[in-house]
Amino acid sequence: MHLPVITLGLEQAILFAIAAVNLSIGALVLSKNPKNVVNMSFFAFVLGTALWMSGISLLYVTHNFAFDKMALGGGIVMLFGMTLFARTFASREPVSFRFAWFFLPLACTALLLPFGLYILGIVVDENGIIHAILGPLFPVYALANIGHVSATLWFLSRNLSVARGKQRMQILYLAVGIFIFAGSFIVFDLIFPYLGMYQLNLLGPASSIAFVALTAYAIVRHQLMDIRVVIQRGLIYSALLGLITGFYLVAITAFGSLGAQSGTAAFLGGTVTAAVGIFSAPLIERCFRRMTDRIFFKDTYDYAEALRNLSEVLYTSVDFGELTARAEAALITIFRASSVRISVPDSDADEEDPSGRTMYVPIAFEGATVGAIRIGEKRSGDAYTSEDAKLLATFAYQAATALSRARLYEQVKRHAEELEQKVAERTEELRRAQESQRQMLNDISHNLQTPLAIFQTKIERLKRILVNDGEVAGFEQSLSALSNFIYDLLSLANLDQAASEGTEDVPLTQLCAEIAEELVIIAAPRGIEVTSAIEPGIVVRGNAKRLREAVMNIASNAVKYMRAEGRKEIRIALARADGGTELSISDTGIGILPEDRERVFERFYRGKNTPYDARGTGLGLAFAKRIIEQQGGSIAVESELGEGTRMRIRFPDRK
């Protein structure tokens, strides 16, 4: 038994290909969200389109009238899906069950389809063109189709009037595509057949190319239902199929020209094509994908990678200016925007751009708006996607904390700078006050020197006149105390200047030995024994003159506050200690009260148990302590009342 040979013309092949592409797109849209009315209606629309085009193609190929009902039924399904899709897409109104009554005429048209009342039969002329024998209810079928096409365009125009931004552009392209497709369908497949004209009835199905093209453009340009991957893969695999088919035909022709039989040529051509396809198809597919990525995904980015980069900017910058500058640069790179501006605080309140070509998002922290991010148009001219808006909103949420932290850091930094400036100003004021005080003490001291010299001269005359007069001796003693006090004031005032005199290597062993010798001379008239234990070769860093003054001052105090009865001894000891040198001056004097020990180094302080005839100015130990600390050393006191006192001085090692 021989099977009938079916000749597939170019027109029919194109219709089958268009039907397959439409059906694939519809199936993918439905698989993404099968329960969504928009996705279901879109699938019904492309399914009806595929059935209608396939039915017409099979009529031309087989001349079998049975496929007429397939074409007419596909048209009914197509109209149902198209109208429902137009009603639900980008509509703010929910679809109620009452809307089902709108499809009652179309349902009645579908119920009458099996009875053959629309087309009674077909006739094929000598040119292969099919002429339909119209039935009595064909005008009813045509009017039902025209009514639903009109309703579809009305729904789209209504949604278009209220849509904004990206949705408006999507509806606009869909409306144009459906208008071209539906208009061609009405003219070439309803009106012309009613008038007996069948030469152009294939233009109706072919016009769906306009719908597919505009839908694809909306998908690529305005992310309609985000099925760009399917369009891209469909083009890639179609191109691969075309290349493999072409290679197969070339291989068959080549083997045929070499004298092979048709069956052998087909077998060899298929084998070679399969071998070449296995090794070359993956490489070609990757090349096509890279080429088409520039068209379909030219402004895309990896969401997770982009968010990671933005988070890194936020949490590695603490300076406010650096943070905003780096964040703006990162956003420009990610969104490929013409401009990005982060305003903190936000002085100009904006609203979202209805066209979707710019983006604005406020930065809120703890319920209050602290700033805003404004993204200018893309350099490509495309509108921003929902993924772009989501990424920007996520970044704004994270940026609120980071920018507040940076602002706080900036405030703290500025406050620290202000404090530093104030400290510098106060330090300068203190320096000037100390300088003024020192100058005042100098002036007082120098101004008192002349009267004191005059008084001293007068006392010398009185002593020659009034020999052994107690009042003259007392006056001389008071004058001497005053002179010593002025000298101490002058020395104390010049201590700050001494800090800038410079340092040198001071042979402390020699200096202490000299002081011990001098102390022997001073202490001998009072019956005080002076002993020493001075380690040789000790050298410290300091000012020799000032160190001598400090040590001599302490030693003089030991003589001054020696007990009246009992063992009288002053001992000077110098030795190397851990990490430095220790000099101690101990005595068997009257000692210091416990409550006085912490205050003996204060200026003008004199202990409560100090004998009246031994009272000084209260500046000696303060003077000594200040000198020792200027030389990098420290001084401490150990004392027991009635047992004596020990002054311990420590110097660091030379550097």
Side-chain angles (χ1 to χ4, degrees):
M1 182 176 64
H2 297 282
L3 295 174
V5 178
I6 299 176
T7 303
L8 188 64
L10 179 61
E11 298 87 349
Q12 290 77 37
I14 292 174
L15 289 181
F16 275 125
I18 294 174
V21 171
N22 285 351
L23 192 59
S24 300
I25 294 174
L28 180 71
V29 171
L30 182 65
S31 67
K32 284 187 171 292
N33 194 350
K35 297 182 180 180
N36 187 274
V37 178
V38 176
N39 293 49
M40 288 190 292
S41 60
F42 183 79
F43 176 73
F45 172 65
V46 296
L47 175 63
T49 305
L51 291 173
W52 174 49
M53 289 189 290
S54 299
I56 293 178
S57 298
L58 291 172
L59 276 174
Y60 271 89
V61 172
T62 65
H63 297 165
N64 188 343
F65 180 64
F67 291 108
D68 174 70
K69 293 181 176 57
M70 179 181 178
L72 294 177
I76 293 174
V77 175
M78 176 190 68
L79 289 171
F80 167 77
M82 183 172 62
T83 306
L84 184 61
F85 178 74
R87 168 65 179 79
T88 56
F89 183 77
S91 176
R92 300 180 181 179
E93 301 176 4
V95 179
S96 62
F97 287 104
R98 290 182 297 176
F99 184 68
W101 291 100
F102 186 83
F103 294 104
L104 183 60
L106 196 63
C108 294
T109 304
L111 291 175
L112 295 174
L113 185 62
F115 300 102
L117 298 176
Y118 304 127
I119 297 178
L120 302 178
I122 59 173
V123 176
V124 182
D125 62 16
E126 64 278 2
N127 296 320
I129 299 175
I130 295 178
H131 296 259
I133 302 173
L134 302 181
L137 294 183
F138 182 79
V140 176
Y141 178 83
L143 288 175
N145 281 261
I146 293 172
H148 275 275
V149 169
S150 302
T152 297
L153 295 175
W154 183 81
F155 284 134
L156 286 175
S157 63
R158 187 185 66 169
N159 294 340
L160 182 64
S161 64
V162 297
R164 294 291 183 271
K166 185 171 58 181
Q167 282 189 339
R168 183 178 180 85
M169 299 304 298
Q170 292 172 350
I171 294 174
L172 182 61
Y173 285 110
L174 284 175
V176 173
I178 290 176
F179 179 79
I180 295 174
F181 175 47
S184 301
F185 164 67
I186 292 172
V187 173
F188 298 122
D189 292 88
L190 294 178
I191 298 177
F192 278 17
Y194 185 74
L195 299 176
M197 301 169 59
Y198 296 95
Q199 291 83 357
L200 302 176
N201 62 350
L202 289 179
L203 292 179
S207 64
S208 64
I209 296 175
F211 168 74
V212 173
L214 289 170
T215 302
Y217 183 78
I219 289 169
V220 174
R221 184 80 174 186
H222 301 286
Q223 294 78 44
L224 174 61
M225 291 179 285
D226 198 20
I227 53 175
R228 289 173 289 177
V229 175
V230 175
I231 300 295
Q232 181 197 33
R233 298 295 171 81
L235 291 175
I236 291 174
Y237 295 142
S238 297
L240 278 174
L241 181 61
L243 287 175
I244 292 173
T245 303
F247 185 83
Y248 174 68
L249 294 176
V250 170
I252 291 176
T253 303
F255 284 117
S257 64
L258 295 175
Q261 298 294 326
S262 60
T264 304
F267 174 76
L268 293 175
T271 303
V272 173
T273 301
V276 172
I278 290 173
F279 293 103
S280 62
L283 178 62
I284 298 174
E285 190 267 343
R286 285 196 296 271
C287 292
F288 281 170
R289 185 177 300 178
R290 284 196 296 268
M291 293 169 59
T292 53
D293 277 345
R294 301 174 184 176
I295 300 173
F296 288 90
F297 304 101
K298 60 180 178 179
D299 285 326
T300 58
Y301 48 83
D302 184 87
Y303 185 91
E305 181 67 16
L307 191 59
R308 187 193 69 80
N309 291 337
L310 291 173
S311 299
E312 182 180 357
V313 170
L314 292 178
Y315 294 103
T316 56
S317 302
V318 292
D319 182 77
F320 184 80
E322 178 189 357
L323 174 60
T324 54
R326 290 184 60 191
E328 288 174 352
L331 290 172
I332 285 178
T333 301
I334 291 171
F335 292 125
R336 296 175 175 83
S338 58
S339 64
V340 172
R341 182 162 62 94
I342 299 177
S343 305
V344 179
D346 184 25
S347 56
D348 302 322
D350 293 347
E351 296 182 355
E352 185 177 356
D353 184 4
S355 67
R357 298 191 179 278
T358 63
M359 286 194 295
Y360 165 84
V361 61
I363 301 174
F365 182 72
E366 295 182 349
T369 300
V370 297
I373 304 175
R374 292 173 176 83
I375 310 293
E377 295 185 2
K378 286 191 175 185
R379 292 191 293 268
S380 63
D382 294 336
Y384 288 101
T385 67
S386 58
E387 188 178 59
D388 295 335
K390 178 182 176 182
L391 177 62
L392 186 60
T394 303
F395 172 73
Y397 178 79
Q398 295 180 348
T401 302
L403 289 172
S404 297
R405 185 184 68 246
R407 178 66 78 186
L408 179 61
Y409 170 79
E410 186 180 63
Q411 292 174 353
V412 171
K413 181 180 178 182
R414 185 167 58 251
H415 184 62
E417 292 174 351
E418 292 174 356
L419 286 178
E420 186 177 349
Q421 179 65 25
K422 289 181 179 179
V423 168
E425 293 173 357
R426 296 295 181 272
T427 302
E428 179 60 23
E429 290 177 3
L430 288 174
R431 188 196 65 77
R432 288 197 297 267
Q434 290 177 349
E435 179 64 24
S436 176
Q437 183 184 38
R438 188 183 69 81
Q439 186 61 43
M440 182 183 66
L441 290 175
N442 273 329
D443 292 342
I444 293 174
S445 302
H446 285 297
N447 290 334
L448 288 175
Q449 290 295 327
T450 300
L452 286 175
I454 295 173
F455 285 146
Q456 189 67 39
T457 303
K458 297 296 183 182
I459 288 174
E460 292 296 330
R461 289 181 181 178
L462 286 175
K463 285 172 65 178
R464 288 195 296 268
I465 299 172
L466 304 173
V467 180
N468 300 324
D469 190 313
E471 291 183 0
V472 174
F475 185 72
E476 184 181 20
Q477 185 178 358
S478 298
L479 189 62
S480 178
L482 178 61
S483 180
N484 291 335
F485 178 72
I486 293 173
Y487 175 79
D488 288 343
L489 279 180
L490 188 60
S491 299
L492 193 63
N494 291 327
L495 274 182
D496 291 331
Q497 183 179 358
S500 61
E501 290 178 354
T503 60
E504 58 187 352
D505 287 340
V506 178
L508 195 58
T509 296
Q510 179 181 346
L511 187 145
C512 290
E514 292 174 356
I515 291 176
E517 291 176 359
E518 294 176 10
L519 197 60
V520 169
I521 299 173
I522 297 173
R526 299 193 180 192
I528 301 172
E529 181 184 1
V530 178
T531 61
S532 62
I534 301 173
E535 187 174 326
I538 295 179
V539 179
V540 297
R541 192 73 182 169
N543 184 290
K545 177 183 176 182
R546 295 297 179 181
L547 284 177
R548 170 180 284 276
E549 290 178 354
V551 175
M552 198 63 192
N553 205 317
I554 295 171
S556 298
N557 272 358
V559 174
K560 184 186 300 183
Y561 297 109
M562 182 60 65
R563 66 177 66 174
E565 303 294 335
R567 186 172 62 90
K568 302 178 182 181
E569 181 183 359
I570 298 175
R571 182 174 179 79
I572 299 176
L574 177 66
R576 293 181 177 86
D578 294 338
T581 300
E582 181 173 295
L583 167 64
S584 66
I585 302 174
S586 55
D587 62 63
T588 58
I590 62 177
I592 303 172
L593 290 171
E595 59 268 26
D596 291 338
R597 289 173 199 157
E598 300 297 327
R599 303 187 61 186
V600 293
F601 296 109
E602 294 180 8
R603 295 183 183 184
F604 305 110
Y605 185 80
R606 287 174 291 194
K608 297 181 179 61
N609 65 326
T610 304
Y612 180 80
D613 58 351
R615 286 180 176 269
T617 62
L619 291 174
L621 290 180
F623 180 75
K625 182 175 186 292
R626 185 70 178 275
I627 290 176
I628 291 169
E629 289 178 346
Q630 284 182 348
Q631 312 302 313
S634 62
I635 183 171
V637 60
E638 299 173 358
S639 181
E640 292 291 336
L641 188 63
E643 298 295 329
T645 301
R646 182 184 184 189
M647 294 288 179
R648 301 179 63 180
I649 305 170
R650 289 186 62 88
F651 295 100
D653 287 336
R654 288 184 299 165
K655 294 183 179 179

